Amino acid sequence: MSISAILLVALISIVFLMAIMWIVSVVLHNASIVDLFWGIGFIITASIYLFLSEGYETRKLIVFGLTAIWGLRLSVHISLRNFGKPEDPRYQDFRKKYGEKRYWWISFFQVFLLQGALIWFISAPLFGVMHFSKTNTIGILDIISILVWITGFLFETIGDYQLKRFKSDKKNQGEVLRTGLWKYTRHPNYFGDSMVWWGFGLFSIASGCYLAIVGPIIMTFLLMQVSGVSLLEKNLKKSKPEYKEYIKQTNAFFPWFPKKK
Protein backbone atom coordinates (compact mmCIF):
# COMPACT_ATOMS: atom_id res chain seq x y z
CA MET A 1 0.00 0.00 0.00
CA SER A 2 1.39 3.44 -0.90
CA ILE A 3 2.41 6.05 1.67
CA SER A 4 -0.38 8.45 0.64
CA ALA A 5 -3.01 5.70 0.84
CA ILE A 6 -1.95 4.63 4.35
CA LEU A 7 -1.91 8.21 5.61
CA LEU A 8 -5.31 8.87 4.04
CA VAL A 9 -6.85 5.79 5.67
CA ALA A 10 -5.50 6.91 9.03
CA LEU A 11 -6.83 10.45 8.57
CA ILE A 12 -10.30 9.29 7.52
CA SER A 13 -10.44 6.85 10.45
CA ILE A 14 -9.51 9.56 12.95
CA VAL A 15 -12.07 12.02 11.53
CA PHE A 16 -14.78 9.33 11.63
CA LEU A 17 -14.05 8.45 15.26
CA MET A 18 -13.87 12.12 16.23
CA ALA A 19 -17.26 12.68 14.60
CA ILE A 20 -18.73 9.92 16.78
CA MET A 21 -17.13 11.45 19.87
CA TRP A 22 -18.55 14.84 18.89
CA ILE A 23 -22.10 13.45 18.58
CA VAL A 24 -21.77 11.89 22.04
CA SER A 25 -20.47 15.21 23.43
CA VAL A 26 -23.50 17.05 22.04
CA VAL A 27 -25.85 14.56 23.68
CA LEU A 28 -23.98 14.75 27.00
CA HIS A 29 -23.47 18.51 26.69
CA ASN A 30 -19.81 17.95 27.56
CA ALA A 31 -16.94 18.56 25.13
CA SER A 32 -14.42 17.32 27.73
CA ILE A 33 -14.84 13.75 26.53
CA VAL A 34 -12.47 14.59 23.67
CA ASP A 35 -9.60 14.45 26.19
CA LEU A 36 -10.37 10.79 26.90
CA PHE A 37 -9.73 9.96 23.26
CA TRP A 38 -6.29 11.62 23.04
CA GLY A 39 -4.24 8.60 24.11
CA ILE A 40 -6.56 6.05 22.49
CA GLY A 41 -6.40 7.97 19.22
CA PHE A 42 -2.67 7.34 18.91
CA ILE A 43 -3.13 3.62 19.62
CA ILE A 44 -5.70 3.39 16.84
CA THR A 45 -3.43 5.33 14.47
CA ALA A 46 -0.43 3.12 15.31
CA SER A 47 -2.60 0.04 14.70
CA ILE A 48 -3.57 1.29 11.24
CA TYR A 49 0.06 2.05 10.34
CA LEU A 50 1.19 -1.36 11.59
CA PHE A 51 -1.47 -3.45 9.86
CA LEU A 52 -1.28 -1.60 6.53
CA SER A 53 2.51 -1.79 6.34
CA GLU A 54 4.37 -4.92 5.32
CA GLY A 55 5.91 -7.13 7.99
CA TYR A 56 6.02 -7.16 11.78
CA GLU A 57 9.67 -6.38 12.46
CA THR A 58 10.98 -6.07 16.02
CA ARG A 59 11.15 -2.26 16.07
CA LYS A 60 7.54 -2.00 14.88
CA LEU A 61 6.28 -4.29 17.65
CA ILE A 62 8.31 -2.45 20.29
CA VAL A 63 6.96 0.95 19.21
CA PHE A 64 3.40 -0.35 18.99
CA GLY A 65 3.69 -1.80 22.49
CA LEU A 66 5.10 1.44 23.92
CA THR A 67 2.36 3.45 22.19
CA ALA A 68 -0.32 1.19 23.69
CA ILE A 69 1.18 1.48 27.20
CA TRP A 70 1.44 5.27 26.98
CA GLY A 71 -1.99 5.77 25.41
CA LEU A 72 -3.88 3.47 27.76
CA ARG A 73 -2.29 4.95 30.88
CA LEU A 74 -3.07 8.48 29.76
CA SER A 75 -6.69 7.73 28.84
CA VAL A 76 -7.31 5.85 32.10
CA HIS A 77 -5.70 8.67 34.10
CA ILE A 78 -7.83 11.35 32.42
CA SER A 79 -10.99 9.23 32.75
CA LEU A 80 -10.50 8.76 36.49
CA ARG A 81 -9.59 12.42 36.96
CA ASN A 82 -12.67 13.71 35.12
CA PHE A 83 -15.21 11.11 36.28
CA GLY A 84 -18.27 12.72 37.84
CA LYS A 85 -16.99 16.24 37.23
CA PRO A 86 -18.62 18.95 35.09
CA GLU A 87 -17.26 20.04 31.72
CA ASP A 88 -13.68 21.34 31.78
CA PRO A 89 -13.55 25.15 32.38
CA ARG A 90 -11.73 25.59 29.04
CA TYR A 91 -14.74 24.34 27.12
CA GLN A 92 -17.16 26.19 29.39
CA ASP A 93 -15.36 29.40 28.48
CA PHE A 94 -15.69 28.53 24.79
CA ARG A 95 -19.44 28.01 25.26
CA LYS A 96 -19.76 31.47 26.76
CA LYS A 97 -17.62 33.03 24.05
CA TYR A 98 -19.45 31.55 21.05
CA GLY A 99 -22.89 31.22 22.63
CA GLU A 100 -24.72 28.09 23.72
CA LYS A 101 -26.86 27.94 20.56
CA ARG A 102 -23.83 27.91 18.24
CA TYR A 103 -21.20 26.05 20.19
CA TRP A 104 -22.65 22.57 19.54
CA TRP A 105 -21.51 22.74 15.90
CA ILE A 106 -18.51 25.03 16.40
CA SER A 107 -17.07 22.49 18.84
CA PHE A 108 -16.82 19.93 16.04
CA PHE A 109 -14.26 22.07 14.19
CA GLN A 110 -12.63 23.89 17.10
CA VAL A 111 -12.22 20.90 19.43
CA PHE A 112 -12.79 17.52 17.82
CA LEU A 113 -11.58 18.04 14.27
CA LEU A 114 -8.60 20.07 15.51
CA GLN A 115 -7.50 17.37 17.96
CA GLY A 116 -8.00 14.74 15.28
CA ALA A 117 -5.70 16.67 12.94
CA LEU A 118 -3.11 17.02 15.71
CA ILE A 119 -3.19 13.27 16.37
CA TRP A 120 -2.58 12.67 12.67
CA PHE A 121 0.38 15.07 12.45
CA ILE A 122 1.97 14.14 15.79
CA SER A 123 1.74 10.42 14.98
CA ALA A 124 4.23 10.95 12.12
CA PRO A 125 7.07 9.04 13.87
CA LEU A 126 4.73 6.09 14.41
CA PHE A 127 4.11 6.00 10.67
CA GLY A 128 7.85 6.39 10.03
CA VAL A 129 8.64 3.33 12.13
CA MET A 130 5.82 1.16 10.79
CA HIS A 131 6.43 1.94 7.13
CA PHE A 132 10.21 2.20 6.87
CA SER A 133 11.45 -0.47 9.31
CA LYS A 134 12.55 -3.41 7.16
CA THR A 135 14.85 -5.35 9.48
CA ASN A 136 14.69 -7.13 12.84
CA THR A 137 18.05 -5.66 13.85
CA ILE A 138 18.01 -3.41 16.92
CA GLY A 139 20.82 -0.85 17.08
CA ILE A 140 22.28 1.63 19.55
CA LEU A 141 19.85 4.37 18.49
CA ASP A 142 16.96 2.04 19.30
CA ILE A 143 18.36 1.48 22.79
CA ILE A 144 18.70 5.26 23.25
CA SER A 145 15.12 5.69 22.03
CA ILE A 146 13.87 3.21 24.63
CA LEU A 147 15.79 4.97 27.41
CA VAL A 148 14.41 8.37 26.36
CA TRP A 149 10.89 6.91 26.25
CA ILE A 150 11.26 5.29 29.69
CA THR A 151 12.55 8.55 31.17
CA GLY A 152 9.58 10.42 29.77
CA PHE A 153 7.05 7.80 30.83
CA LEU A 154 8.38 7.79 34.40
CA PHE A 155 8.29 11.59 34.63
CA GLU A 156 4.74 11.67 33.29
CA THR A 157 3.41 8.80 35.40
CA ILE A 158 5.13 9.70 38.67
CA GLY A 159 4.34 13.39 38.20
CA ASP A 160 0.63 12.66 37.70
CA TYR A 161 0.59 10.33 40.72
CA GLN A 162 2.30 12.87 42.99
CA LEU A 163 -0.09 15.62 41.92
CA LYS A 164 -3.14 13.39 42.42
CA ARG A 165 -1.98 12.40 45.91
CA PHE A 166 -1.26 16.05 46.77
CA LYS A 167 -4.71 17.23 45.63
CA SER A 168 -6.48 14.40 47.50
CA ASP A 169 -5.35 15.89 50.82
CA LYS A 170 -7.76 18.69 51.76
CA LYS A 171 -4.99 20.37 53.77
CA ASN A 172 -3.23 21.19 50.50
CA GLN A 173 -6.16 23.10 48.98
CA GLY A 174 -4.82 26.33 47.51
CA GLU A 175 -1.22 25.24 48.14
CA VAL A 176 1.56 24.62 45.60
CA LEU A 177 3.18 21.20 45.19
CA ARG A 178 6.95 21.62 45.59
CA THR A 179 8.14 18.12 46.43
CA GLY A 180 9.10 15.05 44.42
CA LEU A 181 9.58 15.71 40.72
CA TRP A 182 7.72 19.00 41.15
CA LYS A 183 10.74 20.32 43.01
CA TYR A 184 12.81 20.23 39.81
CA THR A 185 10.22 21.25 37.19
CA ARG A 186 6.85 22.96 37.45
CA HIS A 187 5.40 20.49 34.94
CA PRO A 188 7.08 17.06 35.16
CA ASN A 189 4.09 15.41 33.48
CA TYR A 190 4.31 17.70 30.44
CA PHE A 191 8.06 17.27 30.24
CA GLY A 192 7.59 13.50 30.42
CA ASP A 193 4.99 13.57 27.65
CA SER A 194 7.41 15.46 25.44
CA MET A 195 10.21 12.98 26.16
CA VAL A 196 7.96 10.05 25.27
CA TRP A 197 7.42 11.55 21.83
CA TRP A 198 11.09 12.35 21.32
CA GLY A 199 11.67 8.68 22.04
CA PHE A 200 9.27 7.82 19.21
CA GLY A 201 11.01 10.40 17.03
CA LEU A 202 14.38 8.72 17.58
CA PHE A 203 12.82 5.36 16.73
CA SER A 204 11.69 6.89 13.43
CA ILE A 205 15.19 8.18 12.70
CA ALA A 206 16.54 4.69 13.44
CA SER A 207 14.10 3.47 10.78
CA GLY A 208 15.51 5.91 8.25
CA CYS A 209 12.60 8.38 8.33
CA TYR A 210 13.86 11.81 9.40
CA LEU A 211 10.92 14.02 8.42
CA ALA A 212 8.73 12.32 11.04
CA ILE A 213 10.61 14.28 13.71
CA VAL A 214 7.93 16.92 13.08
CA GLY A 215 5.70 14.90 15.46
CA PRO A 216 7.66 15.47 18.69
CA ILE A 217 8.40 19.06 17.62
CA ILE A 218 4.68 19.82 17.38
CA MET A 219 3.95 17.99 20.65
CA THR A 220 6.67 19.87 22.54
CA PHE A 221 5.51 23.22 21.13
CA LEU A 222 1.92 22.52 22.18
CA LEU A 223 2.96 21.47 25.68
CA MET A 224 5.20 24.48 26.22
CA GLN A 225 3.41 27.30 24.40
CA VAL A 226 -0.23 26.43 23.70
CA SER A 227 -2.32 23.96 25.70
CA GLY A 228 0.18 23.00 28.39
CA VAL A 229 2.46 25.21 30.47
CA SER A 230 1.36 28.57 29.05
CA LEU A 231 -2.40 28.01 29.41
CA LEU A 232 -2.27 26.32 32.81
CA GLU A 233 -0.02 28.87 34.45
CA LYS A 234 -2.27 31.79 33.53
CA ASN A 235 -4.88 30.35 35.87
CA LEU A 236 -2.44 29.18 38.54
CA LYS A 237 -0.95 32.67 38.92
CA LYS A 238 -4.42 34.00 39.70
CA SER A 239 -5.67 31.18 41.94
CA LYS A 240 -2.49 30.50 43.93
CA PRO A 241 -0.55 33.52 45.30
CA GLU A 242 2.46 31.31 46.18
CA TYR A 243 2.83 30.25 42.56
CA LYS A 244 4.75 33.39 41.61
CA GLU A 245 7.44 32.48 44.15
CA TYR A 246 7.42 28.92 42.85
CA ILE A 247 8.07 30.27 39.35
CA LYS A 248 11.12 32.18 40.56
CA GLN A 249 12.66 29.05 42.09
CA THR A 250 11.68 26.25 39.70
CA ASN A 251 12.19 25.68 35.97
CA ALA A 252 8.99 25.67 33.94
CA PHE A 253 9.66 22.63 31.76
CA PHE A 254 13.13 21.10 31.75
CA PRO A 255 14.09 19.61 35.14
CA TRP A 256 16.89 21.26 37.07
CA PHE A 257 17.83 21.99 40.66
CA PRO A 258 15.71 24.74 42.24
CA LYS A 259 17.16 28.23 42.44
CA LYS A 260 18.13 29.61 45.81
CA LYS A 261 15.85 32.22 47.38
Side-chain angles (χ1 to χ4, degrees):
M1 202 169 187
S2 66
I3 292 177
S4 58
I6 295 174
L7 292 174
L8 182 59
V9 170
L11 180 60
I12 293 174
S13 300
I14 294 170
V15 171
F16 175 74
L17 292 170
M18 279 298 183
I20 293 176
M21 293 288 289
W22 169 69
I23 293 172
V24 174
S25 77
V26 173
V27 174
L28 297 178
H29 200 71
N30 189 341
S32 298
I33 64 172
V34 70
D35 296 332
L36 311 181
F37 185 75
W38 184 249
I40 298 298
F42 287 104
I43 299 176
I44 294 172
T45 307
S47 300
I48 293 171
Y49 293 151
L50 176 62
F51 295 139
L52 295 184
S53 299
E54 297 180 1
Y56 295 95
E57 288 79 10
T58 304
R59 185 184 294 118
K60 294 181 182 180
L61 297 178
I62 290 174
V63 169
F64 180 78
L66 295 180
T67 304
I69 292 171
W70 172 81
L72 285 173
R73 189 215 71 88
L74 183 60
S75 290
V76 170
H77 169 71
I78 294 176
S79 298
L80 294 175
R81 186 187 65 187
N82 294 350
F83 182 76
K85 294 182 179 179
E87 187 178 48
D88 188 285
R90 293 173 297 166
Y91 305 116
Q92 291 182 11
D93 290 340
F94 289 141
R95 287 186 185 278
K96 294 177 183 177
K97 179 179 179 180
Y98 294 106
E100 191 65 43
K101 293 182 179 180
R102 293 194 305 157
Y103 190 65
W104 71 271
W105 64 265
I106 291 178
S107 64
F108 175 70
F109 300 96
Q110 184 210 31
V111 178
F112 291 85
L113 202 58
L114 175 60
Q115 287 211 22
L118 288 174
I119 289 174
W120 189 69
F121 279 109
I122 293 171
S123 66
L126 305 181
F127 169 76
V129 171
M130 302 306 176
H131 189 77
F132 292 96
S133 292
K134 303 298 181 183
T135 175
N136 283 310
T137 303
I138 296 298
I140 295 177
L141 187 54
D142 292 294
I143 302 301
I144 295 174
S145 303
I146 293 174
L147 293 176
V148 171
W149 187 93
I150 291 175
T151 300
F153 188 74
L154 289 176
F155 261 88
E156 186 175 8
T157 304
I158 296 173
D160 281 338
Y161 170 74
Q162 291 175 340
L163 182 61
K164 179 181 178 182
R165 187 177 60 179
F166 180 80
K167 287 184 174 181
S168 65
D169 190 342
K170 294 181 179 179
K171 296 180 182 179
N172 296 325
Q173 188 172 2
E175 299 295 323
V176 178
L177 175 57
R178 297 173 180 240
T179 58
L181 295 178
W182 300 81
K183 179 179 179 180
Y184 305 99
T185 166
R186 302 200 298 272
H187 302 279
N189 45 358
Y190 291 156
F191 168 75
D193 207 6
S194 174
M195 288 290 285
V196 163
W197 281 94
W198 279 106
F200 289 140
L202 292 176
F203 271 120
S204 182
I205 291 176
S207 304
C209 181
Y210 296 86
L211 289 177
I213 204 72
V214 67
I217 291 175
I218 294 175
M219 178 66 91
T220 303
F221 175 76
L222 290 174
L223 291 171
M224 294 183 70
Q225 301 296 332
V226 182
S227 62
V229 175
S230 180
L231 180 62
L232 181 59
E233 293 204 336
K234 286 181 181 179
N235 297 324
L236 289 174
K237 290 176 184 177
K238 297 177 183 178
S239 62
K240 297 185 178 183
E242 294 183 16
Y243 203 80
K244 293 181 179 179
E245 184 65 27
Y246 181 52
I247 290 175
K248 294 178 181 179
Q249 293 181 304
T250 312
N251 278 4
F253 196 76
F254 297 101
W256 193 246
F257 296 100
K259 304 177 183 67
K260 295 182 180 180
K261 293 185 178 180

